[in-house]
Amino acid sequence: DAIVMLDVLEHLWDPVADLRHLRPVLHDGGLLALSTVNLQSIHARARGDDWPWFIRPHLHYFSPGTLKQTLSRAGYSMVHWSTVPRWFHLSYVARRAGSSHGALSRTAARMAAVVDPRIPVGWLGDVIFVVARKTSTARLPDLVDASTRLARADRNGRSPRA
């Protein structure tokens, strides 16, 4: 069995909690496939604060390392990651580059008026695709976090263990 989350994780308020809530849906060894923006991409590092993926709807940003850690905390083991191959038409790239690369953008726009080829941009690494496997619950003794212990204690009328 598998769960697919394409371009979702960066929009979640609490990705670890949400990924944990998905665990019961999968059998042990079930797969989670997801894509998200890559904060360590060539493009992100080159553009710095002007990286176009820094947008309001994105609540979280991940690198392969922080994504692996997030998945581990949620009870998954990363088994594969890769950059997502992507292509954009030259006209689209010219429009997007206009604000930061004026002369280059204008030249590309003139070229696109004659021929508008698709340009491979996946090598920039902005989006990564990850496959993770649900780890067995026996290997996750600390999945019950403090908030869960508090909720259980409150329901049972006892004080929680620290």
Side-chain angles (χ1 to χ4, degrees):
D1 52 349
I3 295 174
V4 178
M5 299 174 66
L6 303 178
D7 302 323
V8 173
L9 202 62
E10 63 272 20
H11 299 276
L12 300 176
W13 186 262
D14 188 345
V16 172
D18 292 329
L19 290 170
R20 285 179 180 174
H21 283 122
L22 293 174
R23 283 181 51 80
V25 176
L26 292 174
H27 293 100
D28 281 351
L31 297 176
L32 170 68
L34 62 87
S35 65
T36 188
V37 293
N38 178 10
L39 191 57
Q40 285 188 339
S41 71
I42 293 169
H43 192 206
R45 288 181 283 151
R47 295 283 299 268
D49 291 341
D50 291 327
W51 188 43
W53 291 111
F54 285 136
I55 58 175
R56 187 176 306 268
H58 289 173
L59 304 177
H60 300 278
Y61 295 90
F62 299 94
S63 67
T66 60
L67 186 53
K68 182 177 182 177
Q69 182 180 42
T70 298
L71 289 166
S72 178
R73 289 181 54 217
Y76 301 86
S77 174
M78 188 186 298
V79 295
H80 168 82
W81 82 268
S82 61
T83 57
V84 174
R86 301 173 66 183
W87 293 265
F88 295 118
H89 283 278
L90 178 60
S91 57
Y92 175 81
V93 173
R95 281 192 308 274
R96 295 291 300 185
S99 62
S100 58
H101 298 86
L104 180 61
S105 174
R106 287 188 297 278
T107 301
R110 284 194 295 275
M111 289 173 55
V114 176
V115 61
D116 197 12
R118 287 177 37 154
I119 309 294
V121 295
W123 60 271
L124 292 172
D126 279 349
V127 179
I128 54 177
F129 176 74
V130 171
V131 177
R133 187 173 304 282
K134 177 184 172 183
T135 54
S136 83
T137 53
R139 294 173 46 197
L140 295 168
D142 58 359
L143 262 185
V144 179
D145 63 10
S147 62
T148 303
R149 286 195 306 271
L150 286 171
R152 284 182 183 161
D154 188 46
R155 275 196 309 266
N156 297 328
R158 297 180 300 207
S159 63
R161 290 184 296 137

